[in-house]
Amino acid sequence: MNIDYGKDNKERIPYEHYLAEFRKLNPQEAAQRTGIPWHEETQEFEMHMMQKRFLIKWPECTIRKADPEEHGYGAMEDGIPPKIMVMRYLTRGVSSTGSGNFLTYREVPHGEVYFRQFQGRCMMRLAFGYGSNLSLFHAQMEKIGAKKLDMGDAAYEFEFLDKYFVRFILWAGDDEFPPSSQILFSDNFPLSFETEDLAVVGDISINTLKKI
């Protein structure tokens, strides 16, 4: 996967920082801590992101689909941000299972501080991208194998990373009110990710829907 720093230079420094951490990783320890399979013979981790399996090469963090015959766009093919998420999880994350409860962005630690940015960057983008076209939302969510929920006017749950789940909920707009949305995170997210990471989760997820 080629990285085009020219598109967004501000990603270069965090990318290089996490890549340096990733290179120092003990892959067997990371596999035990996160529950992510490690293939010693190929020196690769095997992870899911948005219903598809990918292989992450250590120590260079190149990424390929686990099934070379699989067609269609995958979330880890979205440039630098997914690679940073993967490296952050493998270097700092833990295997965990949510209790079944979901959190709003405001409910995660320090979420109130960053909520306005998250609202504009993710919630409004989701609402105005699909609130007037629920049929497209249904079609794209079903393409990634998301689970339909009886919430709002349209809602789905999907596994973003192994055991870490996200819910997208939409309310359609009308003549009086604009469309709106809610994004929920399984309550194990704060065990492995910082609050700012959740905006990247939203970005990657919405980008993937638009590109599939």
Side-chain angles (χ1 to χ4, degrees):
M1 184 182 302
N2 295 324
I3 300 298
D4 184 359
Y5 289 135
K7 289 183 179 178
D8 194 347
N9 238 7
K10 70 182 180 181
E11 294 175 333
R12 178 176 58 84
I13 293 176
Y15 174 77
E16 291 180 348
H17 169 77
Y18 292 118
L19 181 59
E21 285 193 1
F22 183 70
R23 285 171 173 162
K24 296 175 185 175
L25 195 67
N26 178 324
Q28 290 84 3
E29 181 278 330
Q32 185 175 17
R33 171 172 38 82
T34 61
I36 297 298
W38 164 250
H39 302 300
E40 185 73 35
E41 64 280 6
T42 60
Q43 298 284 285
E44 290 174 309
F45 293 96
E46 183 175 330
M47 292 181 68
H48 290 81
M49 183 177 278
M50 294 189 72
Q51 320 295 88
K52 290 190 176 182
R53 291 185 304 125
F54 295 89
L55 296 170
I56 299 93
K57 185 81 169 177
W58 179 82
E60 57 266 42
C61 197
T62 54
I63 296 174
R64 65 187 177 95
K65 286 179 179 173
D67 180 1
E69 302 299 318
E70 183 179 57
H71 299 292
Y73 184 78
M76 280 196 200
E77 298 171 288
D78 196 24
I80 295 175
K83 295 182 71 138
I84 290 177
M85 292 294 293
V86 165
M87 290 189 289
R88 279 182 62 80
Y89 184 60
L90 289 171
T91 55
R92 307 179 183 194
V94 296
S95 176
S96 63
T97 302
S99 70
N101 294 321
F102 281 74
L103 306 172
T104 67
Y105 191 83
R106 279 187 158 128
E107 291 174 312
V108 300
H110 311 297
E112 194 67 46
V113 176
Y114 301 105
F115 176 73
R116 189 176 296 275
Q117 292 93 322
F118 177 77
Q119 184 181 41
R121 181 175 171 181
C122 298
M123 293 173 64
M124 291 182 67
R125 186 176 168 213
L126 180 64
F128 286 93
Y130 294 101
S132 299
N133 194 346
L134 294 184
S135 61
L136 177 62
F137 179 68
H138 283 297
Q140 292 186 331
M141 294 305 292
E142 287 168 10
K143 277 184 181 179
I144 66 165
K147 179 175 118 180
K148 191 174 182 180
L149 303 173
D150 187 17
M151 304 171 75
D153 291 325
Y156 286 86
E157 176 182 308
F158 59 92
E159 191 174 26
F160 180 75
L161 285 175
D162 300 70
K163 299 182 182 179
Y164 289 82
F165 291 84
V166 176
R167 288 179 173 177
F168 280 176
I169 308 168
L170 277 175
W171 289 267
D174 56 30
D175 292 338
E176 293 186 47
F177 299 100
S180 61
S181 75
Q182 182 58 275
I183 299 175
L184 304 177
F185 303 90
S186 57
D187 60 3
N188 56 337
F189 261 97
L191 297 176
S192 293
F193 297 100
E194 301 294 333
T195 301
E196 301 95 311
D197 294 330
L198 302 191
V200 182
V201 171
D203 267 347
I204 294 170
S205 301
I206 296 169
N207 287 347
T208 301
L209 290 184
K210 290 182 176 295
K211 291 179 179 180
I212 58 173

